Amino acid sequence: MKKSAVHTGPPATGAPYSPGIIAGDLVFVSGQVPLDPKTKQLAEGGFEEHVVQCIKNVESILLAAGTDLAHVVKVTIFLKDLNNFGRLNAAYGSFWGDVRPARSCVE
């Protein structure tokens, strides 16, 4: 199977990984942190704004791969504190319509 890396610009870190990989008809996206790609700094704001930034970072990679959030089928989320689960859902829910991706959430 042919695979190719997806990049949205210069790497945010020096870590040896690709932000995304296209393999056949699938796109795999690496985990994201709330880093603003323009400033290379953590996004302004609190928890909800950080969730939004992470999803926007995923979206940017998907767009560079020729797809978008509407085609996401699985999301894995790591939370430092599971008490933020409700806040996560409030920020996360606005990105997908009626057919939301399957999801795992781990503390």
Side-chain angles (χ1 to χ4, degrees), residues 1-7 18 20-24 26-28 65:
M1 173 184 305
K2 180 183 175 200
K3 68 179 185 176
S4 59
V6 179
H7 297 281
S18 297
I21 294 286
I22 299 171
L26 300 175
V27 179
F28 296 87

Side-chain angles (χ1 to χ4, degrees), residues 14-60:
Y17 71 92
S18 297
I21 294 286
I22 299 171
D25 293 334
L26 300 175
V27 179
F28 296 87
V29 178
S30 294
Q32 298 297 305
V33 296
L35 195 68
D36 181 326
K38 294 175 187 159
T39 65
K40 306 290 189 228
Q41 302 293 319
L42 284 180
E44 297 284 328
F47 179 82
E48 289 83 354
E49 291 82 9
H50 287 180
V51 170
V52 167
Q53 185 65 58
C54 288
I55 296 171
K56 286 182 176 180
N57 291 348
V58 169
E59 182 178 40
S60 176

Side-chain angles (χ1 to χ4, degrees), residues 26-27 62 66-74 96 99 101:
L26 300 175
V27 179
L62 292 173
T67 190
D68 57 34
L69 290 173
H71 293 91
V72 173
V73 296
K74 176 69 170 91
W96 284 278
V99 181

